[in-house]
């Protein structure tokens, strides 16, 4: 099997080297560039399997690079993980809105980076058909039957609650912001606003009972399904 190729767009030399060293040790082919402009060029030239993109770059910043990548049909499908300064929630949100697949706050440990890279590449390889039955621990979601069970006991959910749970559970560990959640249930004659997402989540957790901890709040960003 060909080694997966990772493009690192990062202007700080020591971080670049840290990533190069650790990703290479894991068997990935690594290409590093120091600016957004070079990053876009390389992305088009080598079609990497994944891009690690620093948020803070000279001249052209990470968010703009991400936007350009997602606008170009030759690069739009390449998953992007943003490297963001710690605690800058606004940055995380705008990164996700710009189409980034995940984010890693700085400073980070190489282990975390490797784990996230693996997770994102794995998701890319195994796209789940929406009608597939999902099993997450004791929880089973059957989209065909529109049925949720915990330890074989049926859980009565509203259509909106079901959709939100299904959305989150399809990608454990993946953070969805409120807008993305609203979008996913949009068009079903349900007036879902930002705030009412929180209300839906509260209702959903209540009905999930002992399994309510499966839905995690990511402060200032949104929600995710726990990685089991
Ligand atoms: Ca930087």
């Amino acid at each position: 099997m060909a080694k997966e190729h990772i493009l690192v767009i990062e202007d700080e030399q020591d971080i670049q080297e840290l990533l190069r060293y650790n990703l290479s040790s894991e068997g990935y082919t690594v290409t590093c560039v120091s600016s957004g402009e070079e990053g876009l060029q390389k992305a088009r030239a080598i079609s990497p399997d994944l891009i690690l993109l620093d948020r803070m770059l000279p001249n052209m910043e990470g968010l703009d690079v991400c936007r350009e990548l997602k606008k170009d049909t030759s690069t739009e499908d390449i998953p992007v993980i943003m490297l963001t300064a710690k605690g800058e929630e606004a940055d995380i949100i705008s990164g996700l809105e710009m189409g980034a697949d995940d984010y890693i706050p700085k400073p980070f440990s190489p282990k975390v980076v490797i784990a996230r890279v693996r997770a994102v590449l794995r998701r890319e390889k195994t796209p789940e058909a929406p009608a597939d039955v999902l099993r997450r621990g004791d929880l089973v979601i059957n989209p065909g039957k529109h049925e949720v069970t915990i330890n074989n006991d049926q859980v009565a959910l509203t259509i909106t609650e079901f959709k939100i749970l299904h959305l989150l559970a399809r990608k454990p560990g993946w953070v969805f912001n409120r807008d993305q959640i609203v979008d996913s249930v949009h068009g079903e004659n349900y007036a879902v606003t930002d705030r009412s997402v929180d209300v839906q989540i509260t209702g959903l957790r209540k009905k999930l009972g002992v399994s309510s901890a499966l839905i995690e709040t990511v402060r200032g960003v949104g929600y995710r399904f726990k990685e089991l």
Side-chain angles (χ1 to χ4, degrees), residues 26-92:
E26 290 296 313
Y28 295 112
T29 304
V30 185
T31 299
C32 296
V33 295
S34 308
S35 75
E37 294 86 343
E38 280 177 283
L40 286 174
Q41 268 175 22
K42 276 283 176 210
R44 286 169 190 142
I46 65 176
S47 292
D49 296 289
L50 184 140
I51 297 173
L52 282 172
L53 172 62
D54 183 28
R55 164 75 176 77
M56 300 288 279
L57 291 167
N59 303 322
M60 184 177 193
E61 60 171 281
L63 285 177
D64 294 327
V65 176
C66 191
R67 186 190 293 119
E68 289 301 315
L69 287 168
K70 294 298 169 187
K71 251 175 29 189
D72 186 331
T73 49
S74 68
T75 54
E76 66 181 349
D77 293 330
I78 305 169
V80 176
I81 300 179
M82 300 269 302
L83 307 171
T84 65
K86 202 176 182 177
E88 290 178 36
E89 286 169 343
D91 282 356
I92 295 168

